[in-house]
Amino acid sequence: MSGDGYGRYDHGFVVPPMPSAPPPPPADGARAVAVAVLNLSGLGLGYAWARRWGLMLLCWIATAALLLVALPADPDGVPGFALVLYAVFLALVAAHGARVGLRARTAGPAPLALVLGLVLLAVPAGGVVLYDDARDEAVQQMLLDRLEEADRLVERSGRQAFGIGEDGYREALEMYEDLSADHPDSRAAGRVPNRMKTFYSTVGASYATGDHCTAIEPLTFLRKVPDSMPRTDLGELEEWPDDRLATSLYTCASEALTAGETGWATHFGELLTTFPDSEQAAKVEPAVGAAVTRASKELRGGEPCTAVERLRSLSSDIDGLPGEEAGVDDTLAQDAGRATANADSGTYLCGVDQYEDGDFEAAQTTMNEFVKANKNSKNRALAQKIAIAAEIAQTVPAAGKRLPTTRSGGSISVTVQNDSPDDITVLYTGPVTGSFTLKACGSCTTYSLSSTLSPGFEPCSSGKNYPERTISLPPGTTYFVHKPQGDSLSSPASDTAKLSSGYIYTECAYATQTLGTDF
């Protein structure tokens, strides 16, 4: 104490430091739940209520990332890993939000925030519903795209020949079947029935244009379509190809039959087995019978050999037709028999035509076949003579200038002797045609070529008992051919004799390096 006698006291005041932040409010469970529920919306609204702006921005980023992955809606939906990550993220931000909200100062009362959070839960729920609708629409569009792809395949295949476009048709069928059977409630499946009508009309377009032969293969394909679409009800389309195919088979076969072309029997056979009770199958036998009649009439035409070949071909093809199921087996057999009989009898006319055309080798063969197959024919005797004349004409073409007749005998005697070691056949034609054989001369030998060229050479002059035969012939030119029988390697010899009344003629057959004749 100091001073002038008065006492004085100094009083000191201590000011406590100011706090850096307000003290946290007491723990509030309702507030924690409200923050957690608000965060479940995925928008970080709980963090926004608790004024944690950075955490709110994190929620926005996570939700935006999910939307980038999910949108636009894909038929396959959101990838599973993305959904799992986002669900884990929401669980974490809800738990963390509850912890933050337990003692955080918030922008409003907890009950109101809780109610708002519960209301906002409708946002992700609604988003799920909207996304499912968008995904369903995406699936519908995908199926419609697939339908259009199948349509394009059909359209492209329709611009190609069936053999080239068939694979495209099959691929389109698989797509239509998958749409109809695997997605029956889709808009694409609802359009498949109309698409199948287009499919059938496209594949069978050649029938509509009247190209029946071309239509057979695609129409046959259409009959097997139900096998490719077992789960799809095709309705009336299943029977759509039947009548068209039957018509095409008949029309194509009958046109080929009329034109003399091949392949008709295959189509008629398919018609008789596939549609035995059809109207078209009933026309097969009349068409075949008419073809036999036409070919038989052609025997009297300018090409009888062609007609014979035609009849034989008809007989073979008709005989192979399966007529049992259609009940025409017996009548078809009659047609085949008629074709064979007419061909056999027509062989004579064919041989005559060949002879007159100078094809003597063919005429000989044809007439020999006729003689063998027609023992009771009125033309058999003349056919034998034509065969003889044709054989002579192959050595002496002049012998074939006239067709032989059945005339026999004459007033001029001609004796033929055999001065050779071989049996021989003597053929002759002219006013009279015939043949006979002479036995070999047992004591005769083959002459050397030089001896036949020497002056004074005369075969059949040694006084031997030569095998001989005398025939009577009319005046005129007669052509002779001597040919050895058996395994002799000697060649036929020929001679042309101009016979006149009042003379007796002798002909001698002898053997050299070739077979010679002399008078």
Side-chain angles (χ1 to χ4, degrees):
M1 181 181 293
S2 62
D4 51 5
Y6 294 91
R8 185 175 64 182
Y9 295 92
D10 293 328
H11 298 282
F13 296 92
V14 178
V15 180
M18 296 294 293
S20 59
D28 186 346
R31 187 169 54 242
V33 172
V35 173
V37 171
L38 282 169
N39 277 354
L40 289 176
S41 66
L43 299 176
L45 295 179
Y47 288 137
W49 188 53
R51 295 182 175 88
R52 300 295 181 91
W53 310 113
L55 294 175
M56 179 193 72
L57 181 59
L58 178 63
C59 291
W60 286 7
I61 293 173
T63 301
L66 177 66
L67 292 176
L68 288 174
V69 173
L71 297 177
D74 186 85
D76 295 330
V78 182
F81 75 90
L83 290 176
V84 171
L85 290 177
Y86 191 71
V88 170
F89 175 77
L90 288 181
L92 290 175
V93 297
H96 182 259
R99 180 180 178 185
V100 169
L102 185 64
R103 295 181 177 277
R105 294 183 179 275
T106 56
L112 179 60
L114 181 59
V115 171
L116 179 60
L118 293 173
V119 171
L120 290 176
L121 286 179
V123 173
V128 171
V129 173
L130 292 175
Y131 182 81
D132 286 342
D133 290 342
R135 180 188 176 191
D136 290 342
E137 181 60 25
V139 171
Q140 293 289 342
Q141 288 300 323
M142 178 192 70
L143 297 178
L144 289 172
D145 290 342
R146 193 175 301 172
L147 179 68
E148 290 182 2
E149 182 182 354
D151 295 343
R152 287 192 294 271
L153 280 172
V154 174
E155 182 180 1
R156 182 168 62 249
S157 298
R159 294 193 296 266
Q160 301 170 328
F162 177 77
I164 299 175
E166 183 177 358
D167 288 342
Y169 287 134
R170 293 188 183 279
E171 186 176 351
L173 279 180
E174 292 179 3
M175 299 173 74
Y176 287 142
E177 169 72 352
D178 290 343
L179 290 172
S180 180
D182 297 340
H183 309 278
D185 298 327
S186 66
R187 296 201 299 271
R191 299 177 187 180
V192 167
N194 283 333
R195 294 303 198 276
M196 290 308 302
K197 292 179 181 178
T198 302
F199 181 89
Y200 271 70
S201 61
T202 301
V203 176
S206 52
Y207 176 85
T209 60
D211 192 353
H212 295 288
C213 292
T214 302
I216 291 175
E217 186 178 4
L219 288 173
T220 301
F221 168 81
L222 287 176
R223 292 192 75 241
K224 299 177 182 179
V225 166
D227 297 336
S228 300
M229 302 185 70
R231 298 175 295 172
T232 299
D233 183 10
L234 296 173
E236 296 179 354
L237 288 177
E238 289 194 22
E239 299 179 356
W240 188 89
D242 292 354
D243 185 69
R244 291 169 172 81
L245 178 56
T247 298
S248 294
L249 287 170
Y250 174 78
T251 303
C252 183
S254 60
E255 289 176 352
L257 180 61
T258 301
E261 299 172 354
T262 59
W264 61 268
T266 299
H267 295 323
F268 270 163
E270 185 177 349
L271 175 59
L272 290 172
T273 54
T274 307
F275 308 103
D277 300 323
S278 66
E279 177 184 350
Q280 295 85 346
K283 298 178 182 179
V284 170
E285 190 282 325
V288 168
V292 173
T293 300
R294 286 194 302 271
S296 299
K297 290 180 179 179
E298 291 172 1
L299 290 170
R300 299 289 177 180
E303 298 292 338
C305 294
T306 301
V308 168
E309 293 178 3
R310 173 70 171 152
L311 285 167
R312 295 202 188 283
S313 177
L314 281 172
S315 177
S316 176
D317 289 338
I318 295 170
D319 191 54
L321 290 176
E324 297 88 348
E325 294 184 46
V328 293
D329 194 42
D330 291 339
T331 50
L332 288 174
Q334 293 173 9
D335 290 330
R338 184 160 60 95
T340 299
N342 291 343
D344 288 343
S345 62
T347 303
Y348 171 77
L349 297 174
C350 172
V352 170
D353 185 67
Q354 291 170 332
Y355 187 93
E356 292 177 340
D357 289 343
D359 190 354
F360 300 118
E361 183 178 1
Q364 179 189 358
T365 301
T366 300
M367 286 307 188
N368 285 334
E369 290 177 355
F370 174 81
V371 169
K372 182 178 180 180
N374 297 271
K375 297 185 181 300
N376 298 318
S377 173
K378 63 179 182 178
N379 292 319
R380 187 172 186 271
L382 183 55
Q384 288 176 313
K385 293 183 179 296
I386 294 175
I388 293 171
E391 186 172 359
I392 296 171
Q394 292 175 58
T395 302
V396 187
K401 290 181 177 180
R402 294 181 180 179
L403 196 68
T405 67
T406 56
R407 181 180 176 182
S408 62
S411 59
I412 302 174
S413 293
V414 177
T415 299
V416 182
Q417 296 178 329
N418 185 13
D419 186 6
S420 75
D422 297 317
D423 292 347
I424 64 169
T425 298
V426 179
L427 309 173
Y428 59 93
T429 187
V432 171
T433 301
S435 68
F436 58 88
T437 60
L438 288 176
K439 294 292 185 179
C441 175
S443 60
C444 297
T445 60
T446 300
Y447 292 98
S448 65
L449 182 60
S450 60
S451 65
T452 63
L453 298 176
S454 64
F457 172 73
E458 291 186 13
C460 298
S461 61
S462 64
K464 295 180 182 179
N465 186 19
Y466 298 108
E468 64 178 39
R469 180 169 176 176
T470 300
I471 58 176
S472 297
L473 299 175
T477 302
T478 297
Y479 303 92
F480 289 89
V481 165
H482 304 157
K483 65 174 187 178
Q485 295 183 346
D487 298 330
S488 174
L489 299 178
S490 301
S491 302
S494 64
D495 191 40
T496 301
K498 295 182 179 181
L499 306 179
S500 301
S501 299
Y503 294 89
I504 296 176
Y505 295 89
T506 300
E507 181 173 341
C508 182
Y510 61 93
T512 59
Q513 292 178 346
T514 61
L515 193 64
T517 61
D518 190 20
F519 283 96

